[in-house]
Amino acid sequence: MTDISKNIDIVAAPGVFADLRTAEELVARALAARGLTGGIVQSPTGSGEVIVVPGAGSTVDTASYSNVVRVDLGQCPPDRSDGIRTHIRARGLDGLRFAIDSVYFHRFHPGTIVEYGEHREQRVELRLPDGEGPFPVAVLIHGGYWRSRWEFDLMDAMAVDLTARGYATWNIEYRRPDEHGWDTMTSDVAAAFAALASGPDALDLSRIVVLGHSAGGQLALRLAADTVDAAVTPALAVSLAGVLDLKLGDERWLGEGAVSNAIGARYADARGAYDASSPIARLPLDVPHLVVCAVSDDPNLLEISREYYAAAAAGSDDVESIEGPGGHFHVIDPGSEIWRDIVEAVEKALAS
């Protein structure tokens, strides 16, 4: 078996970085964290996968590479050209770190892309453990305040960790409302989940856990409520620092108005849409669920998680709560203390 290269070349257009040293330092840290070599170069050393930072509005010649991860530091339309495996955009200089992680997981822990619709974003990345199964299924729904610049690569690390623990992971991508509308997003998440029914025989559809992070926490718990009487339904739904009260999220102007920007109106003008989507307004969900938040997260999200748990626990739902050290991204970080508590709670719930 041919060894997989641990080198990653990053080809950047002249002047794309305001200070090259800062970019080089960030890249060096990100590569070291994954045990990789490489860096920012003028010419790539091979024809494999490469990261390209061409500058906004520029095209990328992909013919010389097996595939390309494109990075644009600012906001721009998505580049869906042939040969562009993924386009990381509008994440600032930190987009380089996300790109390195994307290449790392794609090379060393690849999944299989499953399409559930005709649009490019209607896709899922499936990873299966070794063996024949059937395997419990972890459905992952990423966050990013419902904005298109955040994609399902956010969940790669936890997908790989859960797969190593014996779960088939079903990492959902979906169209986001800033480019496609709120109802399109909701229907995409529902369709991606329903597509499990036509998935491989190795999936144990009686043991499904849905885990959503941040905005994905809202989507996960809404999905649970919407699928109570469906042919396929989760055995457990998990909110990881979820936005579980959309009315309060709108009032607090979370994410610089992320809630109203996504739904298309403030709560006062779209109460029906808010209440249909807000998990706290949907109680009881009639599905066992788990509410998780790290104590050093945005205090608004911590407060919302506590508010939601108190309301759910006062009703008929089977609901548990986990709090622990860390910030917003520790709840999806397999190296964190709180992640170990999350996994333990999920395994206990699916075993019962």
Side-chain angles (χ1 to χ4, degrees), residues 11-321:
V11 183
V16 75
F17 301 121
D19 180 76
L20 179 59
R21 185 179 66 171
T22 306
E24 289 175 334
E25 291 170 350
L26 184 152
V27 165
R29 290 192 298 270
L31 291 170
R34 298 298 181 191
L36 303 170
T37 61
I40 300 171
V41 300
Q42 291 185 334
S43 300
T45 57
S47 59
E49 187 166 40
V50 66
I51 297 171
V52 176
V53 192
S58 300
T59 58
V60 177
D61 181 4
T62 62
S64 300
Y65 314 113
S66 61
N67 54 66
V68 170
V69 173
R70 174 172 182 155
V71 177
D72 280 289
L73 308 182
Q75 184 64 275
C76 63
D79 186 345
R80 305 307 188 202
S81 306
D82 290 342
I84 303 287
R85 181 175 65 79
T86 191
H87 183 190
I88 293 173
R89 54 197 172 110
R91 304 188 194 181
L93 200 61
D94 211 30
L96 296 171
R97 177 178 63 84
F98 285 105
I100 289 167
D101 278 355
S102 178
V103 174
Y104 169 77
F105 288 115
H106 185 250
R107 284 188 190 175
F108 294 96
H109 303 280
T112 300
I113 296 298
V114 179
E115 297 177 347
Y116 63 89
E118 296 182 357
H119 194 278
R120 186 184 184 278
E121 292 178 351
Q122 292 178 295
R123 68 194 195 279
V124 165
E125 187 160 26
L126 169 66
R127 288 181 171 92
L128 291 173
D130 294 334
E132 296 182 0
F135 306 109
V137 182
V139 175
L140 312 180
I141 308 177
H142 73 83
Y145 273 133
W146 310 281
R147 290 174 175 138
S148 294
R149 64 194 181 97
W150 299 106
E151 301 190 358
F152 67 170
D153 64 286
L154 291 172
M155 309 295 266
D156 280 344
M158 63 182 290
V160 168
D161 182 80
L162 288 168
T163 303
R165 294 175 184 272
Y167 293 82
T169 55
W170 189 258
N171 189 9
I172 293 175
E173 189 56 279
Y174 53 92
R175 290 172 288 180
R176 268 76 78 217
D178 57 341
E179 294 182 355
H180 301 282
W182 184 261
D183 291 341
T184 295
M185 175 186 67
T186 298
S187 63
D188 273 5
V189 172
F193 183 78
L196 283 168
S198 55
D201 293 339
L203 305 182
D204 183 351
L205 301 186
S206 69
R207 292 187 293 161
I208 300 173
V209 54
V210 178
L211 303 104
H213 177 234
S214 195
Q218 174 267 319
L219 293 171
L221 266 57
R222 174 180 175 162
L223 175 71
D226 286 345
T227 57
V228 167
D229 296 319
V232 179
T233 190
L236 177 70
V238 182
S239 166
L240 304 168
V243 187
L244 305 182
D245 185 338
L246 295 182
K247 177 178 179 290
L248 187 60
D250 179 47
E251 290 174 353
R252 299 282 176 86
W253 206 240
L254 292 186
E256 297 298 313
V259 178
S260 59
N261 287 337
I263 293 178
R266 302 298 302 272
Y267 176 77
D269 299 317
R271 181 168 180 169
Y274 275 74
D275 289 349
S277 295
S278 185
I280 199 166
R282 297 291 300 271
L283 288 171
L285 301 189
D286 294 327
V287 173
H289 55 290
L290 174 66
V291 182
V292 180
C293 198
V295 294
S296 296
D297 202 337
D298 178 341
N300 295 290
L301 291 177
L302 179 60
E303 181 186 26
I304 286 173
S305 290
R306 289 172 171 174
E307 173 209 26
Y308 177 88
Y309 173 71
S316 59
D317 275 341
D318 177 1
V319 58
E320 301 290 339
S321 174

